[in-house]
Amino acid sequence: MAAVLPAEARSETPGVRLFNKWSFEEVEIKDISLTDYLQIRNPVYVPHTAGRYAARKFRKAQCPIVERLTNSMMMQGRNNGKKIKAVRIVQHAFEIINLLTDQNPIQVLVDAIINTGPREDAT
């Protein structure tokens, strides 16, 4: 018996899309010093890889950037350890970002991370 996929899962466009909606291919990291630390080269469908990114030094740089956002959301209080809830919150936030700005929410996230980084000050 063959499983029939829903129409949204049967995408004609090749490639992996986050939540089956947003592509990683058009995301651009404008700060070259952060290209090694913002992982968008290996795209994921859902930011829940269950990877062991704390086993070695600097391995967390290999964790997908959306999953790092999800992991940081489940650190405080009663949401501690509830990753599925954090994934759902990130998905809804990305949908709101897409509706308000008509941009790829992954690109908005990468730009926000670049803007929060420290800058060199030449005085």
Side-chain angles (χ1 to χ4, degrees):
M1 177 187 286
V4 178
L5 294 174
E8 59 203 23
R10 287 177 285 161
S11 175
E12 285 80 23
T13 59
V16 177
R17 295 173 167 264
L18 181 68
F19 300 118
N20 238 357
K21 295 180 182 179
W22 300 292
S23 174
F24 284 88
E25 294 173 0
E26 62 235 14
V27 177
E28 174 184 350
I29 301 174
K30 296 177 179 115
D31 190 357
I32 60 170
S33 65
L34 293 176
T35 55
D36 293 335
Y37 302 104
L38 296 178
Q39 208 281 10
I40 57 171
R41 292 181 298 272
N42 297 325
V44 293
Y45 289 107
V46 179
H48 194 309
T49 60
R52 293 176 46 205
Y53 296 109
R56 270 199 334 222
K57 189 176 184 181
F58 295 116
R59 188 175 287 177
K60 71 177 180 181
Q62 303 303 317
C63 182
I65 194 64
V66 182
E67 184 173 0
R68 288 183 73 183
L69 172 68
T70 304
N71 291 342
S72 66
M73 288 189 63
M74 58 176 200
M75 283 190 190
Q76 296 294 326
R78 65 181 184 192
N79 293 329
N80 192 8
K82 297 178 181 173
K83 191 162 188 176
I84 302 298
K85 186 179 213 178
V87 167
R88 193 177 68 230
I89 290 170
V90 168
Q91 181 180 6
H92 291 312
F94 276 14
E95 288 174 1
I96 291 171
I97 289 170
N98 189 19
L99 287 174
L100 292 179
T101 64
D102 290 330
Q103 295 179 0
N104 188 345
I106 305 169
Q107 182 66 51
V108 173
L109 173 66
V110 168
D111 291 342
I113 292 170
I114 290 172
N115 287 337
T116 60
R119 298 283 172 250
E120 292 183 24
D121 190 20
T123 56

